[in-house]
């Protein structure tokens, strides 16, 4: 648009001067763009510059909080599975390749192949988001949320924690369920004998926890820590290194129990994890919407190659952000 | 309106086609494989692969290694997938200021890291000793004790 206008202005100028400047006729003016590329691509690059700043701020803040916190939860404590993150990285890399192949096909004016590759990108992006949803739900189901009222994370096994456990145990919902379970014979708890035994032992543990948190002297940390370890056990350094799964506590044995749990550093971890992955997932979602619109409304021949190039730049950037988020969030 | 647009884009795509031609796809596959290997290398530091990670007790080594791997991966994506390697010099106009601003932003955050890390005893209040001893890192506990000693000595 700007290009055409510029041309026209120059030509109008010539015409207005009329015969008076006839001797200047040899002078041919040519429009030189500031940057040798189309406006759309320039806009995408400028947008990506701002996006770099956006994620640099988020990641920088994460690093400050990560290394400034006295305790940071181990991955098992917060149900973070490294290989799932690695697989998702692989999925995003694949989707970057399919975008590039779509662009190559479009440049060769092979609209069908371009659309096919873009569709594959859409599917891979969907897989990424699906895995992300699965990961989120694994955390939500354990009461790990970025904020109250859903979050059941307590930082310290102190008197506030003990009173929160007491409050939850005294809720009618919990009391009724406990009463019901205590009325059952062992074989009615679970058809599997081993599980039934475990549940019976768990019920006894709940009694112990109940008694402990009614005790006004629970304040001292070791007592509350014992309670916390029964509800949601955390491994120490050595066993955490070899464990593949979080050890089972009362919260896992009785999913309806939903007792508050102690995860040192858990709140700041949840805050940063959900913020960073959430903003990244939002970018993925926006990319997928644009892909879907392109697939269903455009013919992706050579005349549209620049559209694929532009959305491709954005998509590669989203991939790039994940390349940094994966080690920072899962492996640091 | 779109005429000038197309001229530009055809121009640049023709230019790029001349640059990589038919070798393009093969090159993308090589970059893809490199990215996969690099991802596996990052994952290696979590010590869950058959080949043990050689520095399990030095997290700083693993972190430096992972960041080096990530920067390499980022470079591959930017240069090849985003075609920056084949772009004209305008790329510097856009990337250098953004890179400088990002580095500047990181530098501005360093004081925060320093303030919080070098002040273990006075960090976020109320982290119980027993809990840190049992659940947190041992070195942190030592730091807290050292800080407490230093304070009582003053």
């Amino acid at each position: 648009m700007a290009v055409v206008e510029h041309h026209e202005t120059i030509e109008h100028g010539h015409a207005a001067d009329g015969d008076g400047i006839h001797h200047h006729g040899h002078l041919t003016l040519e429009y030189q763009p500031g940057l040798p590329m189309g406006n759309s691509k320039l806009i995408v690059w400028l947008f990506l510059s701002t996006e770099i700043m956006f994620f640099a701020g988020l990641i920088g803040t994460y690093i400050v909080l990560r290394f400034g916190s006295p305790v940071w939860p181990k991955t098992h404590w917060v149900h973070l599975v490294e290989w799932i993150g690695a697989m998702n990285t692989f999925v995003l890399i694949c989707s970057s390749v399919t975008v590039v192949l779509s662009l190559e096909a479009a440049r060769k004016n092979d609209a069908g192949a371009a659309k096919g590759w873009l569709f594959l990108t859409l599917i891979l992006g969907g897989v990424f988001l699906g895995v992300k949803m699965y990961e989120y739900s694994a955390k939500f189901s354990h009461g790990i949320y970025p904020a109250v009222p859903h979050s059941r994370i307590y930082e310290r096994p102190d008197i506030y924690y003990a009173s929160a456990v007491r409050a939850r145990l005294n809720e009618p919902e919990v009391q009724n369920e406990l009463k019901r379970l205590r009325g059952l014979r062992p074989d009615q708890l679970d058809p599997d004998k081993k599980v039934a035994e475990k549940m019976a032992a768990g019920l006894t543990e709940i009694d112990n926890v109940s008694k402990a948190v009614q005790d006004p002297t629970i304040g001292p940390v070791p007592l509350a820590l014992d309670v916390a370890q029964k509800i949601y056990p955390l491994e120490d350094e050595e066993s955490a290194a070899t464990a593949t799964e979080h050890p089972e506590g009362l919260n896992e044995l009785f999913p309806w129990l939903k007792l508050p749990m102690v995860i040192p550093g858990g709140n700041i971890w949840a805050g940063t994890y959900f913020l960073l992955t959430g903003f990244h997932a939002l970018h993925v979602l926006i990319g997928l919407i644009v892909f879907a619109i392109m697939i269903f409304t455009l013919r992706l021949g050579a005349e549209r190659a620049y559209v694929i190039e532009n959305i491709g730049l954005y998509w590669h950037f989203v991939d790039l952000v994940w390349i940094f988020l994966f080690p920072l969030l899962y492996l640091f | 309106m779109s005429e000038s647009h197309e001229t530009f884009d055809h121009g640049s795509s023709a230019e790029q086609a001349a640059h990589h031609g038919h070798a393009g796809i093969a090159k993308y596959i090589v970059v893809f494989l490199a990215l996969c290997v690099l991802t596996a290398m990052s994952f290696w530091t979590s010590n869950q692969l058959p080949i043990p990670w050689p520095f399990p007790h030095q997290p700083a080594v693993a972190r430096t290694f992972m960041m080096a791997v990530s920067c390499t991966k980022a470079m591959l994506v930017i240069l090849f997938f985003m075609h920056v390697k084949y772009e004209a010099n305008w790329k510097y106009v856009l990337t250098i200021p953004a890179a400088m601003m990002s580095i500047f932003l990181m530098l501005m955050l360093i004081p925060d890291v320093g303030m919080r890390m070098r002040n273990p005893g006075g960090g976020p209040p109320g982290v119980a000793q027993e809990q840190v001893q049992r659940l947190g890192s041992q070195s942190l506990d030592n730091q807290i004790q050292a800080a407490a000693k230093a304070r009582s000595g003053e």
Side-chain angles (χ1 to χ4, degrees):
Chain A
M1 185 84 148
V3 178
V4 176
E5 271 175 13
H6 206 126
H7 263 299
E8 277 171 3
T9 325
I10 291 162
E11 262 141 44
H12 274 302
H14 270 284
D17 277 349
D19 290 343
I21 51 147
H22 224 77
H23 53 281
H24 283 308
H26 64 276
L27 193 71
T28 49
L29 295 173
E30 207 177 303
Y31 173 70
Q32 296 286 339
L35 294 171
M37 65 177 129
N39 286 347
S40 58
K41 192 169 159 185
L42 176 63
I43 287 167
V44 170
W45 270 105
L46 283 174
F47 172 63
L48 291 187
S49 306
T50 68
E51 288 277 84
I52 291 171
M53 298 299 294
F54 177 76
F55 277 104
L58 283 178
I59 292 173
T61 312
Y62 168 78
I63 289 172
V64 169
L65 294 171
R66 167 71 183 84
F67 292 103
S69 298
V71 189
W72 198 254
K74 305 257 171 292
T75 47
H76 296 139
W77 299 1
V78 285
H79 301 273
L80 198 61
V81 185
E82 289 95 339
W83 69 263
I84 295 183
M87 280 314 291
N88 244 358
T89 312
F90 174 71
V91 168
L92 267 199
I93 290 171
C94 288
S95 77
S96 262
V97 176
T98 52
V99 169
V100 167
L101 292 176
S102 170
L103 176 59
E104 291 292 314
R107 279 182 176 153
K108 288 179 190 135
N109 207 14
D110 188 349
K115 200 160 269 197
W117 286 119
L118 216 54
F119 188 69
L120 198 55
T121 313
L122 186 71
I123 301 233
L124 287 167
V127 168
F128 179 89
L129 280 188
V131 172
K132 206 79 240 159
M133 271 165 65
Y134 167 77
E135 288 187 288
Y136 273 24
S137 73
K139 280 142 197 87
F140 293 161
S141 71
H142 287 93
I144 298 170
Y145 284 88
V148 287
H150 294 296
S151 171
R152 286 185 270 127
I153 302 172
Y154 278 71
E155 292 287 321
R156 292 177 283 279
D158 54 12
I159 193 152
Y160 300 103
Y161 172 68
S163 72
V165 173
R166 184 169 59 231
R168 174 65 187 160
L169 281 173
N170 288 340
E171 274 176 36
E173 176 197 2
V174 175
Q175 286 293 330
N176 292 340
E177 182 64 15
L178 281 175
K179 206 178 274 176
R180 189 184 73 80
L181 287 179
R182 284 194 186 111
L184 298 176
R185 278 180 284 116
D187 59 305
Q188 286 172 318
L189 279 173
D190 197 279
D192 186 345
K193 204 178 168 197
K194 264 190 189 160
V195 179
E197 271 170 23
K198 244 193 204 172
M199 286 176 81
L203 286 173
T204 320
E205 283 289 21
I206 293 177
D207 282 340
N208 294 340
V209 167
S210 274
K211 265 178 225 144
V213 293
Q214 308 296 343
D215 181 354
T217 63
I218 186 82
V221 168
L223 285 177
L225 186 57
D226 282 341
V227 168
Q229 287 288 66
K230 276 174 189 152
I231 292 168
Y232 191 80
L234 304 177
E235 319 94 321
D236 53 21
E237 293 266 317
E238 294 97 72
S239 57
T242 49
T244 51
E245 236 176 77
H246 187 270
E248 201 179 52
L250 292 177
N251 264 355
E252 272 92 24
L253 196 57
F254 304 104
W256 51 268
L257 197 55
K258 294 189 164 89
L259 286 173
M261 58 202 172
V262 171
I263 306 177
N267 282 309
I268 196 76
W269 177 86
T272 51
Y273 172 82
F274 285 112
L275 189 73
L276 285 168
T277 57
F279 268 121
H280 180 263
L282 187 67
H283 279 78
V284 172
L285 186 65
I286 290 168
L288 293 187
I289 291 169
V290 177
F291 286 141
I293 292 172
M294 284 170 70
I295 289 168
F296 292 113
T297 63
L298 296 179
R299 185 193 172 272
L300 299 173
E303 77 282 6
R304 299 281 186 209
Y306 74 96
V307 182
I308 300 180
E309 186 182 4
N310 291 338
I311 183 64
L313 286 172
Y314 170 80
W315 191 251
H316 297 313
F317 174 79
V318 173
D319 182 18
L320 207 74
V321 170
W322 185 255
I323 282 174
F324 284 99
L325 287 188
F326 165 60
L328 285 170
L329 292 173
Y330 288 75
L331 304 173
F332 256 49
Chain B
M1 175 192 119
S2 61
E3 236 174 284
S4 58
H5 244 309
E6 278 177 24
T7 326
F8 265 128
D9 287 295
H10 273 302
S12 71
S13 61
E15 201 181 295
Q16 276 166 14
H19 266 297
H20 33 94
H22 285 294
I25 307 279
K27 191 181 59 202
Y28 292 136
I29 301 300
V30 171
V31 172
F32 167 70
L33 291 175
L35 288 172
C36 290
V37 170
L38 287 166
T39 305
M41 281 166 74
S42 283
F43 184 63
W44 185 31
T45 60
S46 74
N47 211 0
Q48 291 174 18
L49 290 180
I51 314 161
W53 168 249
F55 310 100
H57 300 296
Q58 285 140 294
V61 176
R63 285 169 188 154
T64 312
F65 177 78
M66 274 187 273
M67 280 299 101
V69 166
S70 285
C71 288
T72 313
K73 283 165 79 178
M75 269 306 166
L76 286 176
V77 170
I78 292 171
L79 289 178
F80 294 99
F81 287 174
M82 296 171 93
H83 307 292
V84 166
K85 189 168 189 279
Y86 308 102
E87 297 287 5
N89 285 343
W90 63 261
K91 61 193 172 191
Y92 300 115
V93 178
L94 286 178
T95 51
I96 290 179
M100 278 166 61
M101 296 287 272
S102 303
I103 291 168
F104 185 54
L105 188 69
M106 293 294 175
L107 290 178
M108 285 195 294
L109 291 171
I110 284 179
D112 273 344
V113 180
M115 289 281 275
R116 300 194 63 164
M117 286 182 80
R118 304 192 55 108
N119 193 18
V127 177
Q129 284 284 88
E130 289 89 340
Q131 182 194 351
V132 170
Q133 218 159 19
R134 214 161 138 180
L135 308 171
S137 82
Q138 196 62 48
S139 66
L140 176 80
D141 189 48
N142 294 342
Q143 279 178 30
I144 291 176
Q145 276 169 5
K149 246 182 220 169
R151 254 189 223 157
S152 60
E154 273 167 20

